[in-house]
Amino acid sequence: MIRTAFVLAGLGLGLTATMAQADPIAERQQLMKGVGRATREGAAMAKGDAAFDAAKAQGIFKTYADAAKTMPTLFPETSRTGGETTAAPKIWEDQAGFKAAFAKFEADAGAGAGVTDLAGFRAAFGAATKNCGACHEVYRIKK
């Protein structure tokens, strides 16, 4: 009985992972929503609307770094359209530039991972979030 439960749980996890891989548009949209939440939290700290919290700051930069590593893999040729995507054709036309933008984002996020005070956070957060605007200007269709 327990063995059956474990097998079913394993199959369920495998199916969930397969479904996520089958819909890269939905997966990248979810990933970007996480980046958006982290950015709102970071902006509140940077502006002084929320108290600086080193653990939260570390979490923000981890969210950024994880997204930067994963995001370039979520743009297969088959995901150019559908799912209300705002991905610009430039992504597939300039894969090297697109991947370089995420590599820069990852490096800037990594530089912020060790911040321990508000001044350091503000500097690192500003550098990391500049990547967002630059990438969106080139690789995202404005609605």
Side-chain angles (χ1 to χ4, degrees), residues 41-66:
E41 191 173 85
M45 277 197 287
K47 291 178 188 175
D49 294 341
F52 174 75
D53 180 321
K56 284 184 182 178
Q58 306 277 322
I60 290 165
F61 291 116
K62 180 174 180 354
T63 296
Y64 288 172
D66 290 348

Side-chain angles (χ1 to χ4, degrees), residues 1 11-13 15 19 25-26 30 38 42 59 62 84-85 87 114-115 139:
M1 180 77 85
L11 288 173
L13 288 174
L15 182 59
M19 287 174 66
I25 295 171
Q30 283 303 115
K62 180 174 180 354
E84 296 185 33
T85 184
V115 297
Y139 300 110

Side-chain angles (χ1 to χ4, degrees), residues 16 22 35 38 60 72 96 112 124-125 129:
T16 301
V35 168
I60 290 165
F125 182 73
T129 56

Side-chain angles (χ1 to χ4, degrees), residues 21-91:
Q21 290 174 350
D23 190 357
I25 295 171
E27 191 173 344
R28 65 189 187 225
Q29 288 171 340
Q30 283 303 115
L31 194 58
M32 290 307 290
K33 285 179 184 178
V35 168
R37 283 188 298 274
T39 301
R40 284 188 295 280
E41 191 173 85
M45 277 197 287
K47 291 178 188 175
D49 294 341
F52 174 75
D53 180 321
K56 284 184 182 178
Q58 306 277 322
I60 290 165
F61 291 116
K62 180 174 180 354
T63 296
Y64 288 172
D66 290 348
K69 286 178 192 169
T70 305
M71 193 60 75
T73 68
L74 298 176
F75 291 86
E77 186 68 33
T78 57
S79 71
R80 282 181 174 244
T81 60
E84 296 185 33
T85 184
T86 57
K90 184 80 171 169
I91 291 169

